[in-house]
Amino acid sequence: MAVIVLGAGPPARGAHPSALHETPVHRRIFDWIVEAFGELNVDWHFVGGYHIEEVVRAYPRINYSFNPDWCDTGSCASLFTAQIDAERTHFVSYGDIVFDNQAVDQLCQASGDVVIAVDTTWMDRYERRSLALSLIHI
């Protein structure tokens, strides 16, 4: 299994890549993603662009690819910079999304060639977010 994290674009706020933003409980968003897959044996791949060197410094032991056109292209172009093996299961996530191992467990239990997780209650949290939460885009 492999996890591909898409984090090439600039953050909506601040100067650091979104995956490095700290949540109110003083954990980086990328730490949440890593912990969510903690029970699985996965290979990590981060696709960067904007200040990728900061992510590499913070997480030196994972694989990286660079989208050289990150400021002009979107997520799909970033995804194409990662090596995808049709024989493996791949999880793909944006680098600024917080989720937990229950979401990963549900994805693993789902059947289908392509499975997509959607937070159907995101608007409730979005409307009630505090200023701190809106700054990190949870």
Side-chain angles (χ1 to χ4, degrees), residues 2 7 18 24 41 50 52 58 65 67 74-75 82 84 90 102 107 121 124:
S18 296
N41 182 21
Y50 175 85
I52 188 174
S65 61
N67 177 356
S75 304
I84 297 175
H90 289 78
Q102 289 178 335
L107 284 169
T121 61
D124 294 336

Side-chain angles (χ1 to χ4, degrees), residues 67-129:
N67 177 356
D69 300 317
W70 63 266
C71 55
D72 297 318
T73 61
S75 304
C76 192
S78 288
L79 181 58
F80 288 143
T81 69
Q83 187 173 359
I84 297 175
D85 179 353
E87 301 301 315
R88 297 177 80 185
T89 297
H90 289 78
F91 297 89
V92 180
S93 175
Y94 290 112
D96 60 352
I97 297 178
V98 174
F99 52 91
D100 62 18
N101 62 337
Q102 289 178 335
V104 174
D105 291 344
Q106 289 177 348
L107 284 169
C108 289
Q109 292 173 18
S111 61
D113 292 336
V114 177
V115 178
I116 299 172
V118 178
D119 180 356
T120 58
T121 61
W122 71 270
M123 264 181 122
D124 294 336
R125 274 187 305 290
Y126 188 80
E127 289 176 358
R128 293 189 314 258
R129 75 189 187 280

